[in-house]
Amino acid sequence: MGYDIERFVGYVNEGLLCSICRDVLEDPLQAPCEHAFCTTCIHGWLVHHSNCPEDRQMIDVSLLRPLYRYMKNDLNRLQLHCKNREYGCEMVCSLESIDRHERECEYSQIPCSNAVCYAQDQPMIRKTRLLSISPTSLITWVWTLFLKFGCTVQIERRNLDGHLAVCEYRSRECPNGCGYTILSAEDTQHNCVAELRTELELLRSEMICRVEEAKHEMESRLDSQRRHMVQKESILQNEIEELKSQMSRMMSDVRSLMAAERQHRQELEQAELEKRELMELLRGLQKDCRLTTTEGSRKPTNFRPLARLESVKRKPREVTVI
């Protein structure tokens, strides 16, 4: 539905009226045939029809578009009275700003803020843990919740503070200090001891529930950490075994290298010994050659260097096996 044309000041162009409700367009949409409608009006029309209500041309929801900009500007510039004019508001403003004004208008009829269930602010409804309440208390609470309601007065926004000061459903604490919220004259006769016991019972129940929740949460965390530690221990154990295996292979390689080194050293010592023997043989041969040259063609009588050379050639090399 659109805005009541009687609220507007001055002339309203025919093109700014809804083709269905004939009021001034509210949240307008335009069809391809250029007829404009209120959004709620055209949507309601298309539920049962598939054509334009003006010229009967076929239209669909997907073909609807926002109003042309110049028409939207003309619509927003229209001046109209506040809807609370009958209550005394004399404000006249543009259609563009009317909604903002009416949300804050001092003459708007609003419900009393005490228009809530009677038991809304009572200890039993404030607590979420009702499992430990006795059956009698629970039945009494449910009965109170459904049979007693708050203030039903509709009052102007400007008079709300004055009404709240004298509203019989206004909330106030018990003057005896028990913490009970008094909402009506009947509540002044409440039993403070009973209310305190109920409050204590609810607090105890809530505390037990919180302790249980904390306990379950801690147990869950400990189980998770325990599983993580076991998994980590298994991984570390596998790594230790792998390191032991690598160390064992390295020790075996080291022993093999040391044995090869000892064998190589022995071979070097044997070669050095043979080298010295060969050098002595060469020196002996040189000496024999000099003697032969000096004595001429006389046949030498000593062939011990050559015999020693033959013995070296025939001497097998000793190999030490580790």
Side-chain angles (χ1 to χ4, degrees), residues 231-257:
Q231 183 180 4
K232 192 69 174 178
E233 182 181 4
S234 176
I235 293 174
L236 291 175
Q237 190 66 30
N238 292 335
E239 292 179 353
I240 290 173
E241 294 297 331
E242 181 65 23
L243 289 174
K244 286 183 178 180
S245 177
Q246 292 179 4
M247 185 175 293
S248 177
R249 290 195 295 270
M250 290 178 61
M251 292 299 295
S252 177
D253 293 341
V254 169
R255 285 194 293 268
S256 298
L257 289 173

Side-chain angles (χ1 to χ4, degrees), residues 47-69:
V47 171
H48 304 287
H49 307 82
S50 59
N51 53 15
C52 175
E54 285 286 330
D55 55 20
R56 302 302 174 181
Q57 293 188 25
M58 300 298 294
I59 59 173
D60 186 74
V61 174
S62 61
L63 301 177
L64 298 175
R65 295 291 182 268
L67 204 63
Y68 291 138
R69 180 176 297 179

Side-chain angles (χ1 to χ4, degrees), residues 59-273:
I59 59 173
D60 186 74
V61 174
S62 61
L63 301 177
L64 298 175
R65 295 291 182 268
L67 204 63
Y68 291 138
R69 180 176 297 179
Y70 73 91
M71 295 181 64
K72 185 70 172 177
N73 293 337
D74 291 342
L75 185 65
N76 288 334
R77 283 195 292 265
L78 292 177
Q79 300 291 313
L80 73 163
H81 294 281
C82 174
K83 66 179 180 180
N84 299 313
R85 183 183 183 184
E86 59 180 310
Y87 300 110
C89 181
E90 298 180 355
M91 174 64 68
V92 176
C93 55
S94 65
L95 182 61
E96 185 178 15
S97 58
I98 190 65
D99 289 338
R100 181 172 61 254
H101 163 72
E102 289 178 350
R103 286 195 299 269
E104 302 172 354
C105 181
E106 293 295 321
Y107 293 87
S108 296
Q109 298 290 315
I110 60 174
C112 174
S113 58
N114 294 323
V116 293
C117 290
Y118 171 84
Q120 183 75 23
D121 294 326
Q122 300 305 315
M124 288 187 183
I125 198 66
R126 290 201 305 267
K127 305 301 177 182
T128 58
R129 309 298 184 184
L130 302 176
L131 298 178
S132 64
I133 300 177
S134 64
T136 303
S137 299
L138 184 59
I139 293 173
T140 303
W141 172 72
V142 173
W143 180 261
T144 303
L145 179 64
F146 282 98
L147 291 184
K148 292 188 178 181
F149 297 89
C151 182
T152 58
V153 172
Q154 293 282 331
I155 193 167
E156 294 179 359
R157 178 178 282 108
R158 59 176 181 161
N159 298 327
L160 179 61
D161 292 339
H163 168 74
L164 291 176
V166 297
C167 179
E168 62 177 335
Y169 290 94
R170 69 186 184 278
S171 61
R172 56 190 185 279
E173 291 188 356
C174 173
N176 297 326
C178 70
Y180 184 81
T181 302
I182 299 175
L183 298 179
S184 66
E186 298 177 0
D187 293 337
T188 57
Q189 305 301 322
H190 73 280
N191 189 328
C192 293
V193 175
E195 292 298 329
L196 289 173
R197 287 178 177 175
T198 302
E199 183 74 11
L200 181 60
E201 185 179 2
L202 288 170
L203 289 174
R204 184 183 295 110
S205 175
E206 184 174 4
M207 184 60 67
I208 292 173
C209 291
R210 289 185 178 181
V211 170
E212 290 296 327
E213 289 176 358
K215 180 180 178 182
H216 291 323
E217 183 179 358
M218 291 300 297
E219 289 178 351
S220 177
R221 289 184 179 180
L222 288 174
D223 289 340
S224 177
Q225 291 180 358
R226 189 179 297 109
R227 288 192 298 269
H228 177 72
M229 293 301 294
V230 169
Q231 183 180 4
K232 192 69 174 178
E233 182 181 4
S234 176
I235 293 174
L236 291 175
Q237 190 66 30
N238 292 335
E239 292 179 353
I240 290 173
E241 294 297 331
E242 181 65 23
L243 289 174
K244 286 183 178 180
S245 177
Q246 292 179 4
M247 185 175 293
S248 177
R249 290 195 295 270
M250 290 178 61
M251 292 299 295
S252 177
D253 293 341
V254 169
R255 285 194 293 268
S256 298
L257 289 173
M258 291 178 64
E261 179 66 20
R262 286 196 296 269
Q263 182 177 355
H264 182 62
R265 190 179 295 111
Q266 290 176 358
E267 291 177 353
L268 288 176
E269 292 176 355
Q270 183 67 25
E272 186 66 26
L273 179 60

Side-chain angles (χ1 to χ4, degrees), residues 273-286:
L273 179 60
E274 292 178 355
K275 178 182 177 181
R276 287 197 298 269
E277 292 181 352
L278 287 173
M279 293 299 295
E280 291 178 2
L281 289 175
L282 288 174
R283 284 194 295 270
L285 287 174
Q286 291 175 357

Side-chain angles (χ1 to χ4, degrees), residues 278 281 306-317:
L278 287 173
L281 289 175
L306 293 175
R308 291 180 61 189
L309 180 60
E310 292 296 332
S311 65
V312 169
K313 290 180 179 181
R314 292 192 299 270
K315 184 178 181 182
R317 179 174 295 179

